Amino acid sequence: MNRIKYKVSKGTEQRKSHLRIKDAIYDAFLGFARNPTRTFLAALGTIIGVGTLVSVSGIATTAKQQVTSQFNSILATEITVSDNSVGHIPFSAQERVMHIKGVAHAGISWQLMADVNVARDLSVSGPQQFSTTLPIYASTPDGLTQMQADIITGRLFDKGNERRFDRVALIGSIAARQLGITSVANRPAIFINGTPFTIIGIVTGLFGQPSALSSIIIPASTGLDLIGSPYAGSYLGHKINEKFITEKSNAVLQNSSAQEPTMYVTTAKGAAGVVGKEIAYAIYPQNVNALSVITPPGPDLLSNAIEGTTATLLILLGIVALVTGGVVIANTSLLSVLGRTSEIGLRRALGARRKHIAVLTLLEAGCIGAIGGMIGASLGVLATVGVAATHTWTPVLSYQIIVMAPFVGAIVGILAGIYPSIRATRIEPVSALQH
Amino acid sequence: MPDQLVVLENISRIYEGPNPVNALVNVSASIQQGDFVSIQGVSGSGKSTLLNVLGLLDRPTAGKYILNGLDAMHISERERTDLRCYYIGFVFQSFHLLATRSAVENVELPLYYRGINRKKRKESASKAIEKVNLLHRSASFPATLSGGERQRVAIARALVGSPKLLLCDEPTGSLDKNSSDNILELLEELNETGLTVIIVTHDSAVANRSKRHLYVVEGQLHE
C-alpha cells in the first residue's frame, strides 16, 4: 500500500500539537506554585549560592570601605622624607614643613652612632658598672611622636630639653633590661662614651623605628652638640648647632652617624598627596629633587588594590557558591523529573511533544532558580547589614549584584535543568503510564 | 468522514529480548465511527498492548494501521503525537490526574498543546466537566474527589478536545459497583452522541454494556 501523505487537518487549517510560550510559562508557574515544598527544596541550592555571592560581595565591599577609611586615617597620612645622594635634610626642615597647610606633625630622627659604649652609674659618683654597647638615636620631640614612642615610666623629653641641650636620655625597653634599669624615680645616670646622661624615661612602642627599642634616644640638639652633624658639618647645623659645628668637627668626623636622618610627616586626612609635593619645595626650593619624599598610596590606588584582591576572592567564592547551587538544582530537578514520570507520560499521551516537555522542565528550573536568586539576594543583603551592624560599619553593597541576582539564579537554574529536561524528553508515554 | 475510523491489518507486536514475546499476532479488525467496542482478555493476553497500539502510544512491529483514513504506521514520532493530540482521548484505570491541579485545570491540560488561550481553555474545560455532571466540583482537587468523580474528571479531560476515538483502559477497575455503573452510563451516553468508544476490560459485566465484543487470546483477536 502506498503511504498516505500525513496531514492532520481541519478544513484548510494545519493541526499540529503546539504550545504557546505564554501557556508554557503559566503551566510552569502552576507547577512550582502548587508544590511549595518541592519548589523550596529545589530553590535551596540557588538560595545558598546567590545568598553567599551577595553576602560575600556585600561584606567584602563593606570591609573594603572600612579598611580604606582606616588606612586613610592612619597610614595614608604618613610621609617619609629621607636623604638621597644629592642633598641632606637640614635641621630647619621640621620648622619649614610645619608651615605647609595640611601638616599635623613633623619630626626628625636618626641613628646617631652605632654600638657606643654605654655604662650605668650605680651611685651618684661611683664607679661605672654594667657596661655594654648600644646604638644611640637622636630625635626631636616631634620625632618621638612620629616614632610612636609610648612611655613605660618617666616622661619623654620636650622642646625645653632640646632648647637647653640637656644631657637627658630615653632608654628603649630592651636596652633598659640590658642595663638593669626598671625605674627612673631616682634619675639613674648612664655614660655615653664617658659623657653622663640622666635617664628620664623608659619607652616602648616605637613602631616607626623598632630598632630604637634596644637603644638610647637623646634630643636631636644634644646629639648635635655632643656628636655633631651626621653630615660632618653640612646643612643639619643650619641654626641650632651652627656654633657647635666648628668645635665638634673632629668628633663628627670620628663619630659619623650610622644612619642618615629621616623626617616623618603626618598630614591631615587626604592631604598627603598635596603635602608630599610641597615638601621638597619647602625644604629645597633650589633643587626639588634633592630629597626623597615617599607619600602613601592615594585612596584611589589603595581602593583599587583592595578591590582587585576582593574581586578575585569574590569571583572564586561566587563560582563555588553558584556551582553548588547549580548542582543542587540539577539534582532536585532530576529527582523531580523521575518522580513525575507518570505526569510526563500523561502529557505525552495528551499531545505534548518532546520539546514541550523540555520547555516545561527548563522553565520550571529557570523560575525556581530566579525565585532562589531573589530569596538569596534578600538573605545576602540581610547578612551584610547584620555583619555591618555588628561591627558598627556602614553597609556598602552594589545594587547591580542585587538586581542581577534573580537573573543569575534563573540562568543557573536553566543550565542545571538541561540534563533533567533531556531525561524527561526520553520518557516514553507507554511505559510512564504504567507507573 | 470515512465510515471506518480504525483499520488494523495483520498487526503484530513483538517485544524483543532474550525471550521474545509475541504480544500481538496478525491482528486485523475494523471499527466504525460511532462503535462501542469492548476488548476482553485475561491478564497478559495482549489487550493492553492492542490499546496502546490503537492509541499510538506503542508502535507495532508489523502490519497496517489506518486511523481516520490516515496511515498511522509509517509516520514520525512527532506526527503520532499530533494524531494523539487531535483524534484520541484516553481514560485510564488509575485516572492519572495531576494532584496539584484542580478538576477543571486537569481537564484543561490537553488544550495547552493545541495552542488555545487561557480563556477558551477555561470555557472548554467547564463545558466538558459539565458534560460529566461535575461542574460543582470543578475547583476541587483530586485528593478531595471520590473514585467515581476522579474518573469523571478523567473522562472530561479525554472529551475536552473533541476526539474521534475514546480509549478506556479498565475505566471501572478502581471503582465500586455504583460508581462503575455511573461511568458506564456516561460512556454509553457519549457513544450515543456519535463518539467511538473502545473499552479494554477483563470484566464481562463491563464488556456486556458495549455493542460489540472483541476478545484477545494469546495475542490473537477474535470477535
Side-chain angles (χ1 to χ4, degrees):
Chain A
M1 174 186 169
N2 292 330
R3 180 183 168 184
I4 296 171
K5 186 172 169 55
Y6 163 73
K7 187 179 181 185
V8 183
S9 61
K10 180 182 180 183
T12 55
E13 182 190 353
Q14 191 79 6
R15 303 179 78 183
K16 289 185 176 179
S17 166
H18 65 284
L19 176 66
R20 301 188 316 161
I21 189 65
K22 200 173 165 184
D23 295 331
I25 292 170
Y26 180 68
D27 200 8
F29 169 76
L30 288 181
F32 63 78
R34 298 281 176 80
N35 292 281
T37 307
R38 176 167 66 87
T39 302
F40 175 74
L41 289 175
L44 200 55
T46 323
I47 291 172
I48 294 168
V50 173
T52 306
L53 182 69
V54 173
S55 59
V56 166
S57 163
I59 293 166
T61 311
T62 302
K64 184 198 81 175
Q65 189 67 30
Q66 190 65 20
V67 168
T68 304
S69 67
Q70 292 277 342
F71 199 92
N72 282 344
S73 64
I74 303 170
L75 295 179
T77 58
E78 297 286 341
I79 298 173
T80 305
V81 185
S82 56
D83 300 337
N84 62 20
S85 57
V86 179
H88 303 302
I89 299 174
F91 195 72
S92 60
Q94 181 177 319
E95 189 184 339
R96 294 183 195 179
V97 167
M98 285 301 292
H99 290 300
I100 300 173
K101 193 173 181 182
V103 172
H105 304 284
I108 298 173
S109 63
W110 71 98
Q111 188 177 342
L112 201 62
M113 293 179 290
D115 300 333
V116 177
N117 183 266
V118 178
R120 182 187 165 193
D121 178 19
L122 288 178
S123 64
V124 176
S125 58
Q128 296 170 9
Q129 293 185 23
F130 290 167
S131 172
T132 188
T133 56
L134 293 172
I136 310 296
Y137 276 85
S139 174
T140 61
D142 284 332
L144 290 174
T145 307
Q146 302 305 116
M147 289 162 77
Q148 300 178 49
D150 286 335
I151 197 81
I152 295 175
T153 183
R155 66 174 180 84
L156 300 175
F157 51 72
D158 55 22
K159 289 185 178 174
N161 297 121
E162 190 176 55
R163 271 199 307 274
R164 295 189 296 272
F165 310 99
D166 287 344
R167 299 288 194 265
V168 294
L170 298 171
I171 185 166
S173 56
I174 297 172
R177 276 201 299 276
Q178 279 183 270
L179 289 171
I181 298 172
T182 56
S183 168
V184 296
N186 295 325
R187 302 182 69 79
I190 58 168
F191 293 86
I192 300 174
N193 277 354
T195 305
F197 278 78
T198 302
I199 301 292
I200 60 170
I202 302 174
V203 291
T204 187
L206 299 170
F207 300 113
Q209 191 65 268
S211 59
L213 283 170
S214 54
S215 72
I216 306 294
I217 307 168
I218 62 174
S221 61
T222 309
L224 291 169
D225 181 20
L226 181 69
I227 310 296
S229 163
Y231 309 125
S234 64
Y235 289 99
L236 198 60
H238 176 67
K239 270 187 179 177
I240 296 174
N241 72 329
E242 194 170 3
K243 64 177 182 174
F244 300 103
I245 287 288
T246 311
E247 297 170 18
K248 301 293 179 185
S249 58
N250 288 335
V252 168
L253 289 171
Q254 288 165 9
N255 302 291
S256 60
S257 70
Q259 187 190 63
E260 292 179 341
T262 302
M263 180 163 70
Y264 298 98
V265 180
T266 303
T267 70
K269 286 181 188 175
V274 177
V275 170
K277 287 175 187 169
E278 292 184 13
I279 281 178
Y281 289 99
I283 299 174
Y284 269 125
Q286 69 274 32
N287 185 358
V288 293
N289 295 320
L291 299 172
S292 170
V293 180
I294 301 169
T295 53
D300 291 342
L301 267 176
L302 178 70
S303 177
N304 291 340
I306 293 172
E307 197 168 329
T309 311
T310 312
T312 308
L313 180 71
L314 267 180
I315 288 166
L316 288 173
L317 282 172
I319 287 171
V320 170
L322 285 176
V323 167
T324 308
V327 169
V328 174
I329 289 183
N331 191 41
T332 316
S333 298
L334 187 57
L335 288 174
S336 169
V337 163
L338 296 175
R340 294 164 70 194
T341 301
S342 173
E343 178 190 330
I344 292 167
L346 174 75
R347 287 176 181 272
R348 295 274 289 121
L350 296 181
R353 289 184 179 178
R354 292 185 196 277
K355 70 176 181 184
H356 297 153
I357 300 297
V359 165
L360 180 68
T361 313
L362 285 175
L363 275 174
E364 282 190 11
C367 290
I368 288 169
I371 290 169
M374 280 189 269
I375 297 172
S378 306
L379 292 177
V381 170
L382 281 177
T384 304
V385 171
V387 169
T390 306
H391 293 82
T392 61
W393 294 347
T394 304
V396 182
L397 195 56
S398 163
Y399 74 90
Q400 289 98 328
I401 286 184
I402 300 169
V403 171
M404 288 300 291
F407 296 101
V408 171
I411 290 167
V412 169
I414 289 169
L415 290 175
I418 289 175
Y419 177 67
S421 72
I422 291 170
R423 285 288 299 267
T425 59
R426 289 179 185 160
I427 292 172
E428 291 295 336
V430 68
S431 57
L433 290 167
Q434 288 167 358
H435 272 67
Chain B
M1 181 188 293
D3 288 333
Q4 291 186 332
L5 180 64
V6 171
V7 176
L8 301 174
E9 285 183 15
N10 298 318
I11 290 289
S12 293
R13 179 67 173 99
I14 301 169
Y15 291 109
E16 301 293 345
N19 299 307
V21 175
N22 293 316
L24 294 175
V25 181
N26 295 326
V27 169
S28 295
S30 61
I31 295 169
Q32 308 296 315
Q33 180 74 47
D35 264 356
F36 189 167
V37 181
S38 66
I39 301 174
Q40 283 181 269
V42 295
S43 274
S45 60
K47 61 183 187 301
S48 289
T49 302
L50 179 57
L51 189 83
N52 289 337
V53 167
L54 287 169
L56 300 172
L57 298 174
D58 197 4
R59 199 185 279 271
T61 311
K64 191 166 77 177
Y65 178 18
I66 306 294
L67 175 63
N68 197 40
L70 300 170
D71 180 2
M73 189 72 181
H74 302 97
I75 57 175
S76 68
E77 180 57 40
R78 201 176 62 181
E79 292 164 337
R80 289 159 67 84
T81 304
D82 293 341
L83 285 175
R84 278 200 304 270
C85 185
Y86 285 94
Y87 285 158
I88 302 170
F90 292 95
V91 177
F92 305 99
Q93 179 181 350
S94 52
F95 322 130
H96 283 298
L97 298 178
L98 303 188
T100 56
R101 307 286 172 101
S102 67
V104 72
E105 286 168 344
N106 267 285
V107 175
E108 274 183 57
L109 204 57
L111 303 181
Y112 277 90
Y113 304 108
R114 293 189 177 197
I116 295 172
N117 68 42
R118 195 175 162 194
K119 188 181 171 189
K120 285 185 179 172
R121 280 202 312 269
K122 291 278 178 203
E123 287 172 5
S124 299
S126 294
K127 281 180 187 169
I129 215 161
E130 189 175 13
K131 208 178 278 185
V132 298
N133 298 319
L134 216 59
L135 195 58
H136 62 292
R137 302 301 305 271
S138 58
S140 303
F141 285 83
T144 65
L145 299 174
S146 69
E149 287 174 329
R150 288 182 204 181
Q151 197 59 294
R152 281 174 181 273
V153 174
I155 292 170
R157 182 181 63 196
L159 295 177
V160 73
S162 304
K164 290 184 176 299
L165 178 61
L166 183 64
L167 297 175
C168 308
D169 187 5
E170 302 279 10
T172 59
S174 302
L175 304 178
D176 59 35
K177 189 173 182 311
N178 190 38
S179 297
S180 295
D181 287 342
N182 288 336
I183 293 297
L184 289 170
E185 278 172 22
L186 176 61
L187 292 176
E188 285 170 344
E189 285 171 17
L190 292 169
N191 175 246
E192 282 166 13
T193 63
L195 178 66
T196 307
V197 179
I198 299 177
I199 295 180
V200 165
T201 181
H202 66 279
D203 187 344
S204 299
V206 174
N208 288 339
R209 304 286 287 263
S210 67
K211 296 173 184 170
R212 189 176 164 200
H213 309 283
L214 298 175
Y215 303 88
V216 182
V217 181
E218 293 181 346
Q220 294 184 315
L221 192 66
H222 304 277
E223 186 154 7

